[in-house]
Amino acid sequence: MNQRLRAATFRAGSWLGLPLLLAALALPVDAAEPVTPAPTAKRPKICLVLSGGGARGAAHVGVLKVLEEYRVPIHCIAGTSMGSLVGAAYASGTTVPEMDQIMAGITTELLFKEKPPRAELPVRRKIDDYKPFFGPEIGVGGGKISLGKGIVTGVQLETVLRQLSKIKGYQNFDKLPIPFRAVATDLVNGKAVVFKDGELANVMRASMSVPGAVAPAEFDGMMLVDGMLTSNLPVDAARAMGADVVIAVNVGTPLLKRDELNGIGGVVGQMLSILTEQNVQASLASLKPTDILITPELEGYSTGDFDNLSKIAPLGEPAARKVADQLARLSIPAAEYAALRQRQLVEVVPDVRPVDEIRFENLALVNPEAVRRNMQTQPGEPIDQKKLDQDMRRIYGTGDFEHVNYRYLEEPGKRVLAVDAVEKSWGPDSLRFGLGLSSDFGGDALYNLLVSYRKRWINPLGAEWRTDLQLGSTTSLASEFYQPLTGTGHFFIAPSVFLERRTAPVYQGDTRLATVDRKKAEARLDLGVNFNEFGSFRMGVLGGTVKRELDTGTLPFPVDSDTITLGAYSALLIFDQLDSVHFPRDGWKADARYLKSDTGLGADDSYNKWQASGSFVRSFGEHTINLAVVAGDLSGSKLSPAYDQFSWGGFAALSGYATGQLLGENLKFGRAMYYHRLARSSIFEGAYGGISLETGKMSRPVFRSNRDDWIRAASVFVAADTPIGPAYLGYGQAQDGPNSFYFYLGQPF
């Protein structure tokens, strides 16, 4: 029965109850103080039904405001997807103002950006950010290649959901301040699953796991996805709770028009909308004349518009006021309503009771002790919710798990923190791909394709074998066996091999004379220590060979084409607290490298080489200042070897010069960069415009005629953080020197 027919039925029925009619007529549509109908012998049980609709579901909050304004008692709630989120929050005692406050701080990034804050990642995972990886991690194991079950796993989503549900722990939903039901879909049998109990945050997450976007939730052996597929407007769940009157709020997404079906995303979205609309129509057909349907007008807002929740939420209010006469008939006296709401509100006192045990269940590869020792939360200490959330992000950030959550168990004589860390089902080994492109539009165009293979948890201490193959302008093979020496992973040993062939240009002034082909083979053994997420230190020995041959052009001096033997001591210290590598907005980074080539280790040349660099980044709104310095020196008993000299020049590294144009034995460089975030979108993490001011000096250059004084340079650029890596288009000019345009796909500095 449609809305017009139901309204007509109510008008006809009102003649049978004149007092009710008079009360309704006396109440204006936007009245702040509804008139209370005459008391009846038995008031109806009113159940609120909230549909799914992604971000559009924020309009449910506006409806709740009007229901409270008209003193409509809510005796039970049933919700799907976003409706389950709002419904569970309200049923557990979260007030409308509290929901407004939480939703004002929710963004798409907050809900769905899976990667923990970079500052919290283990330093070994931070190093990956300097590789031009793109796309998802591909699992390799059991003779097959596989992908994850969704674009995001829901880890970050669950953190937000825990904020919305005031009542923690396992609950019988009939015993909540307002009895509640949530609906999900069993992906195996295609049937609706109505939750009557569970942990609210976990149930909300299961109910809003959009197929393909959010990975299915594992629950009691079931694989659950969004309830929209089977019951997006769960009127039947409300009837099962004994509802006499249903107030149904439908915020579902209307079908796209023909000209809007652009691309695969539009087609897939339309398919889901068709499935959803079919079950919604069945639910609407089940509404009775005494029920109320509220349909907010949400044109212009999509299911993925989570950056606009604060704008969507108020749109539920005018829709609810359109049925004000029907709501008024359900109003109860002010004192009675105040007493009801007082019983339904929950004053939550944080449960900081210590746990006696932290338990990891069902781990097959990962050593639970290694994970437990790296948690800030420890048995016997009061629970700090912020630290516990950080622990979950840190565990997920190790890269070993597809999902991490927790729950409390009350067992005889002890309280247990059970961490549900689900090992990746795609693997355990993994493949990643990367792509780097660059051009100075002057003849130098470089490209590199990267393939990385990683084998994790080879033994209980967490040994890892990683091999990177790079093809393109530079061809290389790097393989390292990383073996922690303790359960915490602080100390490690790392044998490795490295093979490389690259062609480097040689310039005299601004004239390119030649290119030199260099082949290098190296083996090393490092011992090191990790400082948790802050940094690491390693030192070791290396040996190998290097051979240089003239590739193109001519040089005024002969190129020693003999194979040179390498033997050296090395050390590397890194501290990395940048929030991003591509376009950092906050943090700092510092590193120092030292190499001592020693004939006692078989080296043909004896020399010392060191290099240190640092960067500091701060943002003010959308404005960012990025400062960097680099210094290095190479010295020995004779002219230092040409195969290990410093190479500098290029975009943001004395702009205007070609990449690697400046060669010498002593480097000093400083840069002040400013960039402004121009826009953000679902495709680009950010679009930027900026300027770089640089100064540097290459002392003791290869050609003594080359500049060895201080050089000033500047560049301007536009850039975007794309799904396949950062992209830059820039122009650079050196003072009294060359200029150049640049294009980069990958990290240029």
Side-chain angles (χ1 to χ4, degrees):
M1 186 176 294
N2 60 32
Q3 183 73 25
R4 185 178 296 175
L5 182 58
R6 285 195 297 275
T9 305
F10 275 115
R11 287 195 295 271
S14 66
W15 290 103
L16 302 177
L18 185 58
L20 272 179
L21 175 62
L22 294 174
L25 293 175
L27 181 67
V29 172
D30 59 350
E33 185 68 23
V35 175
T36 303
T40 59
K42 181 182 179 182
R43 292 199 176 99
K45 184 175 183 178
I46 302 169
C47 194
L48 182 62
V49 176
L50 305 178
S51 82
R56 293 161 60 96
H60 293 316
V61 179
V63 173
L64 287 172
K65 287 183 180 179
V66 177
L67 295 180
E68 290 188 351
E69 178 183 328
Y70 281 83
R71 302 197 301 268
V72 177
I74 302 301
H75 304 111
C76 53
I77 301 175
T80 297
S81 196
M82 191 68 172
S84 74
L85 184 152
V86 175
Y90 197 70
S92 65
T94 304
T95 67
V96 170
E98 288 172 331
M99 277 192 276
D100 275 337
Q101 185 177 4
I102 294 172
M103 287 193 176
I106 291 178
T107 62
T108 303
E109 182 178 16
L110 180 64
L111 285 175
F112 302 115
K113 189 173 182 178
E114 293 289 86
K115 196 172 183 179
R118 189 171 180 275
E120 298 178 5
L121 290 175
V123 67
R124 188 160 174 80
R125 299 294 168 249
K126 291 179 180 179
I127 296 174
D128 291 346
D129 294 339
Y130 295 92
K131 301 284 188 179
F133 291 127
F134 66 87
E137 183 181 76
I138 300 173
V140 180
K144 61 180 182 180
I145 295 177
S146 55
L147 295 171
K149 300 170 184 173
I151 298 175
V152 298
T153 69
V155 171
Q156 183 61 26
L157 176 63
E158 287 167 1
T159 300
V160 178
L161 296 180
R162 282 193 288 269
Q163 298 176 17
L164 281 163
S165 58
K166 279 199 168 185
I167 296 178
K168 314 298 183 182
Y170 193 91
Q171 300 292 328
N172 180 335
F173 293 167
D174 285 332
K175 296 183 179 181
L176 294 174
I178 302 176
F180 173 68
R181 296 290 186 270
V183 181
T185 300
D186 190 323
L187 191 58
V188 176
N189 61 28
K191 296 181 179 180
V193 177
V194 180
F195 284 97
K196 300 179 180 180
D197 52 32
E199 184 135 14
L200 280 173
N202 295 343
V203 169
M204 286 188 276
R205 184 256 192 264
S207 182
M208 57 187 304
S209 299
V210 180
V214 182
E218 303 284 344
F219 204 95
D220 289 341
M222 297 181 291
M223 186 178 292
L224 302 177
V225 295
D226 201 304
M228 70 177 180
L229 297 178
T230 49
S231 185
N232 199 48
L233 189 66
V235 175
D236 53 349
R239 300 283 188 219
M241 298 176 76
D244 299 310
V245 175
V246 168
I247 300 176
V249 188
N250 183 22
V251 298
T253 306
L255 297 178
L256 297 175
K257 299 177 181 178
R258 183 182 180 89
D259 59 354
E260 295 175 321
L261 293 171
N262 300 318
I264 188 171
V267 174
V268 173
Q270 186 82 331
M271 292 171 59
L272 292 175
S273 295
I274 291 172
L275 291 172
T276 301
E277 188 62 20
Q278 289 176 350
N279 69 67
V280 167
Q281 290 301 319
S283 296
L284 292 176
S286 72
L287 293 177
K288 301 176 180 180
T290 52
D291 297 330
I292 301 173
L293 175 64
I294 300 173
T295 307
E297 296 182 6
L298 301 171
E299 186 176 355
Y301 293 103
S302 68
T303 57
D305 239 335
F306 288 97
D307 292 330
N308 290 307
L309 295 184
S310 59
K311 296 178 181 178
I312 298 173
L315 299 180
E317 297 183 45
R321 297 189 191 281
K322 287 183 179 180
V323 295
D325 56 340
Q326 296 169 263
L327 297 178
R329 298 184 183 102
L330 302 175
S331 180
I332 63 177
E336 185 179 346
Y337 185 78
L340 174 67
R341 289 298 295 144
Q342 185 63 36
R343 293 193 300 271
Q344 293 176 342
L345 297 179
V346 175
E347 188 67 34
V348 177
V349 178
D351 189 354
V352 298
R353 292 179 297 153
V355 296
D356 302 292
E357 179 186 348
I358 298 176
R359 183 183 301 166
F360 293 83
E361 299 177 340
N362 303 316
L363 294 183
L365 287 175
V366 180
N367 184 351
E369 196 60 31
V371 184
R372 187 182 295 109
R373 288 177 180 174
N374 283 291
M375 292 179 62
Q376 298 179 85
T377 304
Q378 294 295 322
E381 299 178 359
I383 294 294
D384 184 316
Q385 189 61 51
K386 184 178 180 180
K387 288 184 179 180
L388 184 56
D389 287 339
Q390 287 178 340
D391 285 336
M392 298 301 108
R393 292 196 300 267
R394 187 178 290 107
I395 293 171
Y396 179 73
T398 62
D400 297 318
F401 305 100
E402 64 178 85
H403 184 256
V404 180
N405 204 349
Y406 69 89
R407 49 199 166 90
Y408 295 104
L409 303 177
E410 301 292 344
E411 298 182 350
K414 64 180 178 180
R415 188 177 192 229
V416 179
L417 174 64
V419 180
D420 298 312
V422 181
E423 295 174 341
K424 288 181 175 178
S425 57
W426 61 96
D429 306 337
S430 64
L431 281 172
R432 293 195 71 182
F433 295 90
L435 177 67
L437 301 171
S438 68
S439 174
D440 61 6
F441 299 96
D444 277 337
L446 306 177
Y447 69 95
N448 290 291
L449 175 66
L450 176 66
V451 182
S452 179
Y453 172 81
R454 179 177 292 163
K455 188 176 183 64
R456 295 187 175 99
W457 285 97
I458 299 173
N459 56 44
L461 290 177
E464 178 178 297
W465 178 32
R466 172 172 174 166
T467 300
D468 293 344
L469 174 64
Q470 181 173 297
L471 302 172
S473 302
T474 298
T475 300
S476 66
L477 176 68
S479 188
E480 180 185 73
F481 186 85
Y482 178 87
Q483 176 62 68
L485 300 177
T486 63
T488 61
H490 289 157
F491 297 94
F492 63 88
I493 185 171
S496 64
V497 295
F498 178 69
L499 305 174
E500 182 188 61
R501 179 177 182 176
R502 65 187 300 264
T503 300
V506 180
Y507 286 81
Q508 185 172 22
D510 297 332
T511 302
R512 183 151 110 176
L513 300 179
T515 58
V516 176
D517 185 65
R518 189 187 78 165
K519 300 176 184 177
K520 185 177 184 181
E522 181 181 284
R524 68 168 61 224
L525 178 65
D526 287 337
L527 292 171
V529 58
N530 292 319
F531 310 121
N532 294 325
E533 68 271 22
F534 297 102
S536 69
F537 172 75
R538 60 167 64 196
M539 61 185 299
V541 295
L542 64 89
T545 60
V546 62
K547 184 176 182 179
R548 300 171 73 241
E549 294 178 317
L550 187 64
D551 182 50
T552 64
T554 59
L555 291 172
F557 51 81
V559 176
D560 187 359
S561 61
D562 294 336
T563 299
I564 300 169
T565 301
L566 306 176
Y569 302 99
S570 67
L572 171 63
L573 176 66
I574 297 176
F575 291 100
D576 190 345
Q577 286 292 284
L578 293 175
D579 64 348
S580 171
V581 169
H582 298 162
F583 299 95
R585 292 181 49 78
D586 188 71
W588 60 276
K589 178 179 180 289
D591 63 70
R593 306 166 188 266
Y594 177 73
L595 184 140
K596 180 178 178 57
S597 181
D598 194 330
T599 55
L601 294 176
D604 288 340
D605 297 303
S606 179
Y607 64 93
N608 298 304
K609 181 180 181 181
W610 65 266
Q611 181 177 324
S613 64
S615 61
F616 178 82
V617 185
R618 281 290 181 271
S619 292
F620 310 89
E622 302 298 336
H623 306 274
T624 301
I625 300 294
N626 186 332
L627 306 177
V629 294
V630 180
D633 188 74
L634 194 157
S635 61
S637 57
K638 61 178 182 177
L639 180 68
S640 58
Y643 58 82
D644 208 10
Q645 292 184 330
F646 294 102
S647 172
W648 207 251
F651 176 60
L654 292 179
S655 301
Y657 287 92
T659 301
Q661 181 172 339
L662 304 173
L663 296 171
E665 300 171 8
N666 182 275
L667 171 65
K668 300 180 182 68
F669 174 78
R671 181 185 66 229
M673 180 179 288
Y674 161 82
Y675 42 88
H676 174 68
R677 186 160 60 186
L678 304 172
R680 298 178 67 182
S681 71
S682 58
I683 299 176
F684 299 137
E685 288 277 337
Y688 302 84
I691 184 173
S692 175
L693 303 177
E694 307 137 29
T695 184
K697 181 179 182 180
M698 184 68 78
S699 302
R700 305 194 299 276
V702 170
F703 292 96
R704 299 307 176 187
S705 60
N706 285 354
R707 293 186 62 174
D708 63 355
D709 59 337
W710 284 95
I711 301 170
R712 291 191 291 269
S715 64
V716 294
F717 62 89
V718 292
D721 201 357
T722 77
I724 59 173
Y728 298 81
L729 180 63
Y731 171 80
Q733 171 75 61
Q735 183 187 30
D736 301 324
N739 62 84
S740 184
F741 286 93
Y742 300 94
F743 170 76
Y744 280 86
L745 181 63
Q747 190 64 23
F749 54 83

